[in-house]
Amino acid sequence: MKTKQDVFNLLQQLMVKEFELDAEQINLDAHLYEDLDLDSIDAVDLVVKLRELTGKKIEPEAFKSVRTVGDVVNAVYALIEV
């Protein structure tokens, strides 16, 4: 994963597979809870899957302020850039 677009593409594929969402629903402005109807358990599952895919330890605290798909992309991108 080299760019934020790569992170978004990976995240989109993951969300379609794991949460049975339509790819069209998943855009950078989509709110995880309101638009995509994810709950706190889904958020934990998402962090676990992202940890597996990136090989990076993701602290749940880092995701407390995440509200949109774009926020997730930025948070994951920041982790892999370190």
Side-chain angles (χ1 to χ4, degrees), residues 8-74:
F8 173 74
N9 293 341
L10 180 75
L11 181 62
Q12 186 180 47
Q13 292 169 6
L14 175 69
M15 294 177 94
V16 167
K17 181 180 170 202
E18 295 297 320
F19 305 118
E20 299 176 0
L21 297 170
D22 291 325
E24 300 82 48
Q25 291 179 279
I26 304 165
N27 60 63
L28 293 174
D29 296 325
H31 283 80
L32 299 175
Y33 305 108
E34 294 88 357
D35 298 332
L36 302 179
D37 205 29
L38 300 183
D39 59 26
S40 57
I41 302 297
D42 293 331
V44 170
D45 289 343
L46 182 60
V47 170
V48 170
K49 292 290 182 190
L50 288 170
R51 183 184 308 151
E52 290 171 5
L53 291 170
T54 63
K56 301 284 185 182
K57 185 166 172 57
I58 300 172
E59 298 295 337
E61 290 296 316
F63 271 70
K64 283 220 181 213
S65 62
V66 167
R67 297 286 176 259
T68 66
V69 171
D71 292 341
V72 176
V73 169
N74 290 333

Side-chain angles (χ1 to χ4, degrees), residues 73-82:
V73 169
N74 290 333
V76 171
Y77 187 74
L79 282 173
I80 63 173
E81 282 298 297
V82 174

